[in-house]
Amino acid sequence: MAAAISSPALLGLNLSKSNTSKCRHDISVHACELPCRSSLSSGTTGKTFQNLQLEARVHNRSLAGKPLCSAGAWVHPLSTTESHSHVEEEKVGVLLLNLGGPETLNDVQPFLYNLFADPDIIRLPRLFRFLQRPLARLISTLRAPKSKEGYASIGGGSPLRKITDEQADALRMALEAKKVAANVYVAMRYWHPFTEEAVQQIKRDRINKLVVLPLYPQYSISTTGSSIRVLQDLFREDKILSRLPVAIIQSWYQRGGYVNSMADLIEKELQRFGSPEEVMIFFSAHGVPVTYVRDAGDPYKDQMEDCIYLIMQELKARGINNDHKLAYQSRVGPVQWLKPYTDEVLVDLGKQGVKSLLAVPVSFVSEHIETLEEIDMEYKELALESGIENWGRVPALGCTSTFITDLADAVIEALPSAEAITSTEVGGPDSLNQNPVGYAVKMILGSFLAFIILLIFPAFKNQSV
Ligand SMILES: C=CC1=C(C)c2cc3[nH]c(cc4nc(cc5[nH]c(cc1n2)c(C)c5CCC(=O)O)C(CCC(=O)O)=C4C)c(C)c3C=C
Ligand SMILES: [Fe+2]
């Protein structure tokens, strides 16, 4: 997982200073008017949003389009070409981006293969890209038994598809209630329904305005960035899609509806404890390798800290002044990930005498293996062993109505900024089509090298996700 800053991740995050320096912290006001984060601190460290500017510079394939700050969500049109001028009936589509998960235990290895074959997940320097697939095959094979155990313990598969479908349905109804008729599609990155399938359906349905909404509140190269890169490649390659007006909501953790809904869940769960005011609010976010943030300019850490700040501000406004802590879970492989690590912090908190703890998963809005298995089973057990006596966990937002209603608002606010993608600069074709012999040689060489690397770094096999 070496840092390759030439990776095409973060496409579409070409943020100019004037845009990056503005966002909304007064969560009750639906406008983009206050300076962002520079003066914010809640015991967490972090840079300002000017980072995003830096991050845009290190990615050489960023687009020329100007992002628009729309009611607290970073919205980015796919490009700056002219929008449609002729009058036609508007057929709105909303494309929800998500990770996807194996539905059965047999799906686990191929799902993991898709995940590790993503150059935004294992970021190899360009010269070593030919190793990507052999490495993915090897790592997925080695990791599959452990992953299967995890999925077996939560019922034999990931609940993500079902929950995401429910969210899509709820969003469609929330839009309808606001007098916006829209088809809502689901595009998973690593399992069915794949992004390609969703995009084909959008084409068949003759959608003529599209809003892309990742189901990740915070932006990361490894999640939203990866899905947008795939979308961009698909759209550029297609004559019809390259002319379709599209708006992408890059992140929305700062929206009032999300912050309030999270605060509601936390407030409710706190009431289950004997002495709610003594409970440590423990935010556990999915980690990313440090190099993403340090070398590639991933805004994920900054956005996460900003997000926690906003939720805590909202709780304070409700008279809830509990201590809180942010840590990162689910690291994979031999590299350094964002710290502090959830497991280590839980042990420390136990040692420090914390007796009551409320875990809050914060990087994802559905239940999934990392809430149901990692937090509810592994971390709970560790916490109790470490001296924490009272354990609670906030459920994922799922279809909470205040949250879904706010997502519908985000979609409506983004619609006017939809613009078409240019048909130029088609993404690089797969080398298999161009030179099958060279491809075969690279695969064989790659498999051999991947095997050697895996002998040196057996950690992929052992570490928790
Ligand atoms: C914001 C959320 C996520 C980030 C950031 C993220 C980065 C990331 N993940 C891996 C490796 C794995 N992730 C796996 C599952 C998984 N990851 C997320 C979310 C984020 N990942 C979710 C919601 C899920 C669960 C899907 C489900 O089926 O419920 C897995 C597989 C699980 C297993 O047990 O093996 C792996 C592996 C990396 C390497 C990474 C950043 C580089
Ligand atoms: Fe993950």
Side-chain angles (χ1 to χ4, degrees):
M1 266 192 248
I5 59 170
S6 59
S7 155
L10 285 194
L11 283 174
L13 254 183
N14 186 16
L15 305 183
S16 68
K17 187 169 182 180
S18 58
N19 288 304
T20 58
S21 65
K22 282 176 178 277
C23 81
R24 180 173 55 86
H25 282 124
D26 176 355
I27 55 175
S28 61
V29 179
H30 281 260
C32 196
E33 52 199 18
L34 297 176
C36 186
R37 200 179 137 76
S38 46
S39 60
L40 302 180
S41 107
S42 61
T44 54
T45 56
K47 294 161 268 175
T48 69
F49 258 75
Q50 282 162 6
N51 254 19
L52 297 178
Q53 220 192 333
L54 215 173
E55 129 208 345
R57 280 197 216 113
V58 296
H59 293 285
N60 55 7
R61 282 181 61 199
S62 59
L63 295 167
K66 263 189 165 183
L68 305 165
C69 189
S70 170
W74 287 110
V75 179
H76 199 301
L78 272 170
S79 92
T80 53
T81 53
E82 76 284 2
S83 13
H84 283 195
S85 53
H86 58 281
V87 181
E88 59 179 319
E89 196 202 336
E90 205 168 71
K91 273 198 95 179
V92 175
V94 179
L95 183 60
L96 299 181
L97 305 180
N98 212 339
L99 189 119
E103 283 160 56
T104 67
L105 295 185
N106 285 337
D107 298 339
V108 171
Q109 188 276 328
F111 159 77
L112 290 175
Y113 172 81
N114 292 339
L115 188 134
F116 290 118
D118 178 358
D120 293 315
I121 287 285
I122 296 194
R123 310 182 73 237
L124 298 171
R126 190 167 288 278
L127 202 62
F128 294 100
R129 289 277 167 80
F130 68 97
L131 281 175
Q132 192 91 41
R133 293 183 199 194
L135 250 183
R137 197 161 303 284
L138 203 58
I139 298 173
S140 60
T141 308
L142 290 173
R143 193 176 173 77
K146 183 183 179 287
S147 281
K148 275 187 187 176
E149 267 178 42
Y151 284 107
S153 74
I154 62 165
S158 171
L160 259 186
R161 184 174 190 167
K162 181 172 172 283
I163 298 171
T164 311
D165 282 346
E166 286 164 4
Q167 287 171 323
D169 227 30
L171 180 60
R172 186 185 51 73
M173 289 193 287
L175 284 165
E176 214 169 80
K178 290 173 185 288
K179 309 270 177 277
V180 176
N183 287 4
V184 183
Y185 304 87
V186 171
M188 299 295 198
R189 181 67 184 87
Y190 306 118
W191 206 246
H192 301 278
F194 286 112
T195 311
E196 291 77 359
E197 298 167 36
V199 164
Q200 283 315 313
Q201 193 57 49
I202 285 169
K203 226 175 127 180
R204 280 196 291 274
D205 291 347
R206 296 178 185 275
I207 293 301
N208 56 24
K209 211 169 208 188
L210 185 69
V211 176
V212 176
L213 176 61
L215 284 175
Y216 309 99
Q218 306 85 10
Y219 183 99
S220 168
I221 292 170
S222 58
T223 53
T224 301
S226 170
S227 281
I228 291 175
R229 181 177 55 76
V230 170
L231 266 185
Q232 242 152 354
D233 289 348
L234 288 171
F235 275 54
R236 281 210 193 88
E237 282 163 9
D238 189 289
K239 269 197 178 144
I240 295 171
L241 294 172
S242 61
R243 289 200 296 266
L244 173 66
V246 181
I248 301 176
I249 299 173
Q250 302 266 359
S251 65
W252 40 266
Y253 69 87
Q254 67 282 52
R255 291 188 63 86
Y258 169 73
V259 172
N260 280 322
S261 305
M262 287 299 290
D264 289 346
L265 291 180
I266 294 170
E267 190 175 3
K268 188 170 165 209
E269 288 305 313
L270 282 175
Q271 297 316 312
R272 296 184 194 271
F273 288 83
S275 308
E277 63 293 340
E278 286 168 18
V279 177
M280 165 73 72
I281 301 175
F282 182 74
F283 295 96
S284 188
H286 196 302
V288 294
V290 166
T291 53
Y292 282 53
V293 175
R294 195 187 54 205
D295 305 333
D298 197 336
Y300 181 72
K301 180 172 182 281
D302 277 353
Q303 293 195 359
M304 190 58 73
E305 289 171 1
D306 206 18
C307 174
I308 302 315
Y309 173 82
L310 293 172
I311 295 171
M312 289 311 298
Q313 283 295 103
E314 175 57 27
L315 288 170
K316 280 197 182 96
R318 301 179 187 193
I320 297 168
N321 293 298
N322 292 47
D323 285 341
H324 74 281
K325 184 95 194 152
L326 166 64
Y328 294 92
Q329 65 177 80
S330 314
R331 59 191 190 277
V332 193
V335 297
Q336 283 244 341
W337 284 58
L338 289 183
K339 283 186 177 169
Y341 297 146
T342 294
D343 48 359
E344 294 179 1
V345 174
L346 286 174
V347 173
D348 283 351
L349 291 176
K351 277 191 196 144
Q352 288 162 24
V354 170
K355 293 292 170 217
S356 302
L357 186 139
L358 178 62
V360 187
V362 75
S363 39
F364 211 58
V365 292
S366 338
E367 298 296 348
H368 61 291
I369 189 166
E370 286 148 3
T371 53
L372 301 170
E373 197 266 338
E374 206 174 358
I375 298 184
D376 288 355
M377 298 180 197
E378 286 181 41
Y379 293 144
K380 181 178 177 185
E381 196 182 320
L382 181 66
L384 297 180
E385 278 169 12
S386 305
I388 290 161
E389 291 167 4
N390 308 304
W391 169 271
R393 204 262 286 176
V394 161
L397 282 166
C399 289
T400 305
S401 63
T402 47
F403 162 60
I404 297 288
T405 304
D406 189 60
L407 284 187
D409 287 337
V411 167
I412 292 167
E413 289 156 25
L415 271 171
S417 68
E419 289 183 23
I421 189 172
T422 50
S423 53
T424 55
E425 206 203 316
V426 174
D430 191 88
S431 54
L432 174 61
N433 303 328
Q434 286 197 328
N435 179 4
V437 178
Y439 180 84
V441 171
K442 279 181 174 178
M443 283 302 277
I444 293 163
L445 192 66
S447 302
F448 179 69
L449 274 172
F451 185 67
I452 301 292
I453 290 171
L454 259 286
L455 284 180
I456 301 168
F457 295 119
F460 274 109
K461 203 172 147 189
N462 304 325
Q463 227 154 356
S464 65
V465 177

